[in-house]
Amino acid sequence: MKLHVSCILLSVVFMFAACGSGNTRSGAVAEAGPVKDSTEAQMVKVPGKKPLRLLTERPYNLETPLRYFLEDFTPNDVFFVRWHLPVPPAPVDEDTFRLRIGGNVGRSIALSMKDLKTKFTPYKIVAVCQCAGNSRSHFNPRVPGAQWVNGSMGNAVWTGVKLKDILAMAQPKANTKFVSFNGLDQPVFPSTPDFVKSLEYAHAMDGEVMLAYEMNGEPIPFLNGYPLKLVVPGWYATYWVSMVSEIRLYADSFKGYWMNKAYLVPKGVPNGNEKPDSLAKDMEPVSKLDVRSVFVSPQPGFTMQKGKTYEIQGLAMDDGTGITKVEISRDKGKTWAQARLDPVLGKYSWRRWRYTYTPVEEGPVEFLAKATNAAGATQPWHQWNRSGYMRNEIESLPLNVSK
Ligand SMILES: Nc1nc2c(c(=O)[nH]1)N[C@H]1C(S)=C(S)[C@@H](COP(=O)(O)O)O[C@H]1N2
Ligand SMILES: [Mo]
């Protein structure tokens, strides 16, 4: 813990943005309603990052303010940060760092960063990294956990090596079923389980799961997992293990706290739904991203002028199936109009949508946004689960119209 504290003895600057009252964090039940601007919250400046919304300090949990989602690729210096255990005290030394691969393999190997950058064909993919708990603060009744608004997500170009190429070098045994991933972060007390995640072997070998050493063309930022981050396109970010240093293969299943006790959702239920008074009994690990859309601009409560034309803008994403439609409603879902979709930046990227609107009447107006993907999957009107995962309820944006 001492080491960790020293690492975060930083010039912590608190700021309160001028807009908004900030009362969304007061502990009241969060309404399942409009997207709230992260800039209402307390902000913190840590090395390597611009001011971000502070959720917790030990370890760091930092949220990206909404306005950065006007960019297609989330800049590294505002990319959200999520840790369960203390962040290692200092960046690793690239020369001495080794990625170890062992377990059910023909030969255990240890790879240096230089090995990874020179002995394999580089691979690049655009993918959204979204925490399974993103937007948790909107769940009603409120659920425990980091009270994210919509900013525990980001889109980036990831460069590195396909996991299947790396595993092949260790000669996996034919009966391999699971692969686990451990990072350099460690619990303070031996009773706290280390953060280890696993994937089925076939998934790990699908040619898309990769180990990234670059994010948007730069080394992965320290707080996002320097020097190596597992990228699992289309899957929630809990699998995107930061500072990966150990990979193990198993002939049978892998069991561990972070796979079998945490990050569970009701099994086989669309949108991970359950009811507070009748919780699901059968649970399974969270996995693929639900279809969702979020509003990015304008800010909630913005006042438009009658007769002027405005662009309402947002993002939509899913598990890689592909967003095919985003619809907008101004009458609580009775009628829907299609938004325009920007070009696809990659199947695992988010996709920007735009809707042009010219108000003709004064008064309040509420927009709803609903995305649909190529498999016909869309967003629910109501959603709840005990841990606040996979949030993808249809969102609303309240605006005003003046003379
Ligand atoms: N080593 C390690 N990797 C981790 C975690 C962690 O606590 N330790 N948290 C996971 C979770 S829950 C999320 S949402 C993502 C966040 O990635 P980011 O911090 O780069 O945004 O990292 C994942 N990888
Ligand atoms: Mo997460």
Side-chain angles (χ1 to χ4, degrees):
M1 199 60 180
K2 280 268 155 50
L3 284 171
H4 169 60
V5 171
S6 72
C7 113
I8 56 162
L9 262 186
L10 313 160
S11 55
V12 175
V13 181
F14 293 102
M15 287 173 288
F16 295 87
C19 67
S21 62
N23 61 4
T24 56
R25 295 177 303 113
S26 64
V29 169
E31 253 186 31
V35 53
K36 293 169 189 102
D37 185 7
S38 311
T39 56
E40 290 173 10
Q42 178 176 286
M43 304 287 274
V44 64
K45 168 82 186 87
V46 305
K49 295 283 180 187
K50 287 190 177 143
L52 296 175
R53 180 174 184 254
L54 177 69
L55 274 80
T56 68
E57 207 171 9
R58 292 179 202 178
Y60 271 132
N61 281 293
L62 309 170
E63 170 160 4
T64 305
L66 189 60
R67 66 177 178 281
Y68 294 112
F69 298 142
L70 289 167
E71 294 174 61
D72 285 334
F73 298 103
T74 314
N76 291 6
D77 60 5
V78 294
F79 209 94
F80 84 101
V81 172
R82 207 274 180 262
W83 292 89
H84 296 85
L85 307 174
V87 185
V92 301
D93 175 353
E94 276 224 21
D95 297 331
T96 55
F97 173 84
R98 293 291 179 275
L99 170 69
R100 293 178 200 284
I101 302 166
N104 198 45
V105 295
R107 59 177 193 134
S108 298
I109 54 174
L111 299 170
S112 67
M113 289 304 294
K114 198 173 158 209
D115 291 335
L116 288 165
K117 289 177 183 173
T118 58
K119 293 190 176 161
F120 300 90
T121 312
Y123 180 64
K124 232 184 236 304
I125 201 168
V126 177
V128 169
C129 177
Q130 181 182 206
C131 179
N134 193 24
S135 317
R136 180 181 284 129
S137 65
H138 296 317
F139 277 90
N140 183 12
R142 194 176 172 135
V143 293
Q147 295 299 305
W148 303 107
V149 188
N150 285 353
S152 61
M153 63 174 187
N155 197 38
V157 186
W158 308 93
T159 308
V161 182
K162 289 179 179 180
L163 186 60
K164 77 166 189 191
D165 293 346
I166 300 173
L167 296 186
M169 198 180 255
Q171 298 165 5
K173 294 194 177 156
N175 62 350
T176 302
K177 295 217 175 49
F178 276 88
V179 187
S180 73
F181 306 88
N182 193 1
L184 291 170
D185 50 336
Q186 280 183 343
V188 181
F189 304 108
S191 54
T192 312
D194 195 6
F195 188 83
V196 185
K197 298 295 292 190
S198 70
L199 296 175
E200 282 183 24
Y201 179 63
H203 184 191
M205 294 291 283
D206 74 355
E208 291 185 324
V209 176
M210 66 179 291
L211 278 171
Y213 46 73
E214 276 181 13
M215 175 174 159
N216 296 323
E218 308 259 319
I220 308 267
F222 172 61
L223 287 172
N224 297 106
Y226 177 87
L228 277 180
K229 188 177 181 74
L230 185 71
V231 170
V232 188
W235 281 48
Y236 283 107
T238 178
Y239 294 94
W240 298 43
V241 178
S242 298
M243 293 185 194
V244 187
S245 59
E246 196 193 357
I247 298 178
R248 284 190 74 78
L249 281 67
Y250 302 81
D252 43 24
S253 69
F254 167 84
K255 294 222 162 32
Y257 176 85
W258 296 99
M259 285 304 300
N260 304 99
K261 293 270 187 279
Y263 284 100
L264 300 180
V265 290
K267 186 172 181 175
V269 182
N271 316 113
N273 256 322
E274 61 186 339
K275 292 208 167 76
D277 55 3
S278 64
L279 295 178
K281 291 194 181 62
D282 220 4
M283 304 291 279
E284 65 183 350
V286 72
S287 58
K288 292 182 185 182
L289 261 63
D290 263 351
V291 178
R292 80 173 301 190
S293 58
V294 297
F295 285 98
V296 171
S297 173
Q299 298 288 316
F302 176 82
T303 299
M304 302 180 280
Q305 259 180 294
K306 197 167 108 177
K308 272 198 172 181
T309 299
Y310 295 86
E311 183 183 79
I312 296 172
Q313 195 192 109
L315 296 166
M317 67 210 91
D318 74 344
D319 62 359
T321 305
I323 297 297
T324 49
K325 186 166 75 171
V326 174
E327 294 164 293
I328 306 296
S329 178
R330 271 186 296 119
D331 53 15
K332 300 196 184 304
K334 274 190 229 104
T335 60
W336 296 90
Q338 290 215 20
R340 300 185 309 282
L341 296 173
D342 273 13
V344 176
L345 300 170
K347 63 191 270 213
Y348 297 108
S349 169
W350 59 33
R351 192 164 182 192
R352 194 170 300 278
W353 55 263
R354 301 165 195 273
Y355 181 76
T356 308
Y357 178 64
T358 311
V360 292
E361 260 176 56
E362 285 168 49
V365 51
E366 191 185 32
F367 289 84
L368 302 177
K370 181 176 73 170
T372 303
N373 76 3
T378 186
Q379 303 182 237
W381 281 107
H382 182 69
Q383 179 196 32
W384 188 88
N385 57 65
R386 76 193 85 165
S387 303
Y389 291 140
M390 303 169 76
R391 172 77 182 187
N392 74 333
E393 198 175 291
I394 293 171
E395 279 188 6
S396 71
L397 176 70
L399 300 176
N400 300 304
V401 181
S402 74
K403 270 215 288 208

